[in-house]
Amino acid sequence: MKYLEKYKYLISLLSVFSFLLTPIHTAVTSFNPAYIIVINYTIVILSSSLIATKKLAKLITYLLGFLTLVAIWLEFSDSNSQTLLICRLVLSFLLFGCFCFILIRQLLKIKEVNLQFILGPILGFLYLGIIGGVLFEFVHFLDASSFQLTKGFSGYSFYYFSFISITSVGYGDITPLTAPAQSLTLVLNIIGQFYLAIVIGVFVGKYINTKSD
């Protein structure tokens, strides 16, 4: 438990990276994609729950995580069900929003520059990208003409688009067409830039304070 507490941010970060590499895992293995997604999702839930220090927070993350996994399994069994799709999107949004809230509270308690303070904002950036992907997928669900998508796209395409939006890369392979899609893209662009600016500012401030002490 001592090592889990010490390296909880690193463990969570690696698990989220593994989750984002799910298409690669699917391509290089012969396992059913559903199994890989559920396994990676479970690892993210268990590792991210390490960040929570209070029992209530852990209980909430485990509960939301369990419900999200159930929704994913049921959606795989009935891929045409719009109700299951909505449940999965709502639960995923609540789950990663909860992770972000817990992470921010923990980072505010850190008084010096250490490994946790460095890895924490990176983890938060990944959570932000995943939340953006959930929102883009929901916008596409409401209006299938919201995006110009490449041939053979999947649900993962929205998470890919979320990360290139918050980093302001903009390859142009996915384009928002409707006003809601464009406004959400604009908001994520702004949040992504301000996030980096705030994190750098806080990091430099804590570093200067640590050196002055």
Side-chain angles (χ1 to χ4, degrees):
M1 292 301 296
K2 179 180 178 181
Y3 287 103
L4 288 177
E5 176 65 22
K6 183 178 181 180
Y7 297 106
K8 59 184 180 182
Y9 289 101
L10 178 60
I11 295 172
S12 300
L13 186 63
L14 292 176
S15 69
V16 176
F17 266 121
S18 178
F19 174 72
L20 295 176
L21 295 176
T22 296
I24 296 179
H25 299 161
T26 304
V28 300
T29 63
S30 58
F31 294 110
N32 189 316
Y35 296 152
I36 298 177
I37 292 174
V38 172
I39 290 173
N40 284 340
Y41 226 116
T42 303
I43 294 174
V44 168
I45 293 169
L46 293 176
S47 60
S48 295
S49 297
L50 294 173
I51 301 175
T53 55
K54 296 183 178 180
K55 292 183 179 180
L56 179 59
K58 285 185 178 292
L59 179 61
I60 293 175
T61 57
Y62 285 138
L63 178 60
L64 286 175
F66 174 76
L67 293 176
T68 304
L69 290 176
V70 170
I72 291 174
W73 271 114
L74 292 176
E75 188 180 4
F76 275 120
S77 64
D78 185 6
S79 58
N80 295 321
S81 174
Q82 294 185 348
T83 302
L84 291 175
L85 173 60
I86 294 174
C87 288
R88 192 255 302 171
L89 291 175
V90 171
L91 288 170
S92 297
F93 177 81
L94 292 175
L95 177 64
F96 284 97
C98 182
F99 287 153
C100 283
F101 179 76
I102 294 173
L103 178 63
I104 292 173
R105 290 190 61 181
Q106 293 298 315
L107 290 177
L108 291 175
K109 297 178 182 179
I110 300 177
K111 302 301 182 182
E112 59 183 12
V113 178
N114 52 26
L115 180 63
Q116 293 184 346
F117 182 75
I118 295 173
L119 297 180
I122 300 176
L123 181 60
F125 191 77
L126 297 182
Y127 286 155
L128 176 62
I130 293 174
I131 291 174
V134 173
L135 294 176
F136 280 131
E137 192 174 357
F138 187 73
V139 169
H140 176 74
F141 165 75
L142 295 177
D143 184 356
S145 62
S146 295
F147 299 93
Q148 178 182 334
L149 299 165
T150 56
K151 184 179 179 180
F153 79 95
S154 64
Y156 186 82
S157 300
F158 299 109
Y159 298 85
Y160 158 77
F161 181 63
S162 175
F163 277 98
I164 66 174
S165 295
I166 61 177
T167 54
S168 297
V169 176
Y171 291 116
D173 49 348
I174 299 178
T175 307
L177 300 178
T178 62
Q182 292 171 348
S183 62
L184 179 58
T185 304
L186 178 62
V187 169
L188 282 179
N189 279 328
I190 295 173
I191 291 176
Q193 297 306 305
F194 272 96
Y195 181 92
L196 294 176
I198 292 172
V199 167
I200 292 174
V202 173
F203 182 86
V204 172
K206 285 186 179 293
Y207 182 78
I208 292 175
N209 290 336
T210 301
K211 286 297 184 180
S212 61
D213 293 341

